[in-house]
Amino acid sequence: MLTSLLLRWNLIRRTLWFRVVGISVLSIIAVLTAKLLGPILPQGLDRLVGAQSADQLLDILSSSMLAVTTFSLSVMVTVYRSISSQWTPRAHRIQLRDNATQMVLATFVGAFVYALCSIVLRSTQFFGEHDLVVLFIMTLAVIVLVVVMILRWMVRLQTMGSLSDIAGRITDLTLQAFQGRMSAPCLGARALTPDLVLPDGVRDLHAPRSGYVERIFPAAIEAHARGCGGTVYLLKGVGDYVSRGEVFAQVTDPSLESAVTGNVQIGSMRDIEQDPGFGLHVLAEIGSKALSPGVNDGGTAIDMIDRITRVLESWLAPQERPAVPPRYPSLYLPSLHPAPLVSDPFGLIARDGAGTLEVQMVLQSRLSGLEHHPDPDLAEAARRTRQQALTRAMEALTHEVDRDALSEHVERMGQRCWGQEAATEV
């Protein structure tokens, strides 16, 4: 249960509104702290700082922060729209998690709230002479913080929205999701394999709405299942689409129905945190869009192929037979299979780049490398996807010279692989 609460907390604290509200509340607390610290200051400090000094700083801070916040929001919206139109709309959700942008905007709004609250209270008899000294010092600290954030914002704007920035973020998040699924196969639950025999009397749970399974909170489901001694079988994994009224889970106890529906989040879009396949698909969309006739950027497609390959190379042992005991033995989940993780992203680029020789040569090389992966399922999926891509390319390449070049490349690639295998046997 604690794990699910921490997961929900992490989801909330990554949102922009939460950080803005949190820093705004801290700014109000800072203003009220000046009233508490004023009486304990040594006598005579009030002569060094006059009320006019604090008022001037607060006026400058309030007017400038309003303008800077408005400008920063306009820049953020412009960058987000550019990412959606230039790369892929799915990348927009990845950029929303930019911690630097959220902290900068939250700081600007918090500084504005601090200055506004201070000006309002200064118009009353709330602050005494000693309190103004503390208020002046706090205002200087807020100004220093704002200057640091402006410098940080300037550095962030240099790369914000660029291909290297957004592709790097997607790659890092996908690798994190992969590592999470490798360390906790089936999210820590038991694998729901096709040969599993369900007990008699299980109750079907119908999806309350249509959408994708965005997130599952297994710890909360496990806590309810242990409480009543029941078992939960989730027929849909993270990233799967469910239609309204479709059976997406089965339970052995009626009291588990509300626990399952409340801890299986169904939304309109997939999320990358528990669904590494979504991250691979977004990378493939960027590469596919770069291959459109209006862009014709084969280098970007090759970069995305390399990133997808680097992520897939982190795949570990089969998920159906995890090496560690399951953390949630009362919960069954579909295992993460490597076949769609290979065929979906690479198939998308292979289809749209079938007529581009350079892309096909790189695609054949990377898939050939994945054919030697220790996991047999991933290796078989890579072999099948490579053959399909080769068939597409041979039909799409219009010039015989390109077809001969691709055939020679595949032949040399096979000879190198056979040589390595022979050396290994010796």
Side-chain angles (χ1 to χ4, degrees):
M1 182 66 73
L2 180 60
T3 305
S4 296
L5 293 177
L6 291 176
L7 180 58
R8 294 179 188 272
W9 166 251
N10 290 330
L11 294 175
I12 295 175
R13 71 180 182 87
R14 288 202 302 259
T15 57
L16 177 59
W17 67 266
F18 178 79
R19 299 192 179 189
V20 171
V21 171
I23 295 184
S24 298
V25 171
L26 291 177
S27 65
I28 296 176
I29 295 176
V31 175
L32 299 178
T33 304
K35 183 68 175 177
L36 299 176
L37 297 179
I40 65 176
L41 289 180
Q43 297 293 330
L45 290 180
D46 55 332
R47 302 191 192 98
L48 301 177
V49 179
Q52 187 177 4
S53 302
D55 292 341
Q56 291 177 350
L57 292 178
L58 291 172
D59 291 338
I60 295 173
L61 193 62
S62 62
S63 59
S64 60
M65 283 300 97
L66 182 60
V68 170
T69 302
T70 304
F71 170 75
S72 300
L73 287 173
S74 63
V75 170
M76 184 184 68
V77 172
T78 302
V79 170
Y80 287 171
R81 289 180 178 177
S82 175
I83 291 173
S84 299
S85 60
Q86 189 174 4
W87 308 125
T88 170
R90 260 63 60 187
H92 172 258
R93 297 191 68 185
I94 307 299
Q95 191 64 29
L96 288 176
R97 298 183 177 182
D98 187 6
N99 293 328
T101 302
Q102 291 185 1
M103 287 303 300
V104 166
L105 291 175
T107 302
F108 291 165
V109 175
F112 174 74
V113 172
Y114 168 83
L116 191 63
C117 292
S118 300
I119 292 174
V120 171
L121 293 177
R122 278 287 296 127
S123 62
T124 65
Q125 301 298 324
F126 183 78
F127 291 115
E129 295 297 331
H130 284 75
D131 304 337
L132 291 176
V133 178
V134 181
L135 184 65
F136 178 80
I137 297 174
M138 285 187 174
T139 304
L140 290 179
V142 171
I143 292 176
V144 172
L145 177 62
V146 168
V147 172
V148 172
M149 285 299 175
I150 289 177
L151 294 176
R152 186 181 180 185
W153 184 232
M154 293 172 59
V155 174
R156 181 70 187 94
L157 289 178
Q158 293 178 356
T159 58
M160 185 176 178
S162 63
L163 175 62
S164 59
D165 175 59
I166 190 64
R169 290 180 178 274
I170 296 173
T171 304
D172 292 341
L173 289 173
T174 306
L175 281 172
Q176 292 177 11
F178 249 96
Q179 293 171 359
R181 294 300 297 264
M182 297 301 104
S183 60
C186 301
L187 299 178
R190 296 181 183 271
L192 183 65
T193 56
D195 57 349
L196 180 66
V197 179
L198 301 183
D200 297 332
V202 293
R203 299 172 61 92
D204 295 337
L205 267 67
H206 301 272
R209 66 187 69 87
S210 297
Y212 293 95
V213 178
E214 295 182 344
R215 193 173 289 101
I216 297 174
F217 301 95
I221 299 177
E222 174 69 17
H224 287 87
R226 286 186 177 181
C228 65
T231 306
V232 176
Y233 304 90
L234 291 181
L235 308 181
K236 297 290 184 178
V238 180
D240 293 337
Y241 185 84
V242 295
S243 301
R244 182 179 180 181
E246 180 182 0
V247 177
F248 75 102
Q250 293 177 319
V251 296
T252 58
D253 194 290
S255 62
L256 290 173
E257 296 182 4
S258 59
V260 173
T261 55
N263 291 284
V264 177
Q265 184 175 335
I266 300 176
S268 59
M269 295 185 65
R270 298 168 66 180
D271 188 82
I272 197 173
E273 186 172 1
Q274 294 181 348
D275 184 12
F278 177 64
L280 296 176
H281 185 76
V282 175
L283 291 174
E285 283 186 337
I286 296 176
S288 177
K289 193 165 188 177
L291 292 171
S292 61
V295 180
N296 195 22
D297 182 11
T300 296
I302 293 174
D303 183 25
M304 297 304 109
I305 292 174
D306 292 339
R307 292 178 182 273
I308 294 171
T309 303
R310 186 161 63 250
V311 173
L312 289 174
E313 287 175 346
S314 63
W315 178 269
L316 297 180
Q319 301 294 288
E320 292 83 357
R321 298 181 297 276
V324 296
R327 297 174 56 187
Y328 313 114
S330 301
L331 176 64
Y332 286 81
L333 281 175
S335 58
L336 188 65
H337 199 272
L341 299 178
V342 176
S343 60
D344 291 350
F346 282 130
L348 182 61
I349 298 178
R351 181 197 66 193
D352 295 333
T356 306
L357 176 62
E358 295 79 7
V359 174
Q360 289 301 320
M361 294 176 71
V362 173
L363 186 62
Q364 290 292 318
S365 298
R366 304 303 181 266
L367 286 172
S368 177
L370 289 176
E371 287 184 35
H372 298 82
H373 192 277
D375 186 276
D377 293 332
L378 189 144
E380 174 61 23
R383 184 194 63 80
R384 186 167 54 251
T385 303
R386 186 181 65 81
Q387 291 179 348
Q388 294 174 355
L390 181 60
T391 303
R392 286 179 181 272
M394 288 301 181
E395 295 179 358
L397 292 172
T398 56
H399 297 284
E400 185 177 356
V401 177
D402 293 339
R403 293 193 293 269
D404 293 341
L406 182 60
S407 299
E408 293 176 1
H409 175 74
V410 173
E411 184 177 356
R412 291 194 302 269
M413 187 175 58
Q415 291 175 354
R416 289 196 302 268
C417 294
W418 295 334
Q420 293 176 358
E421 294 177 356
T424 302
E425 292 177 359
V426 174

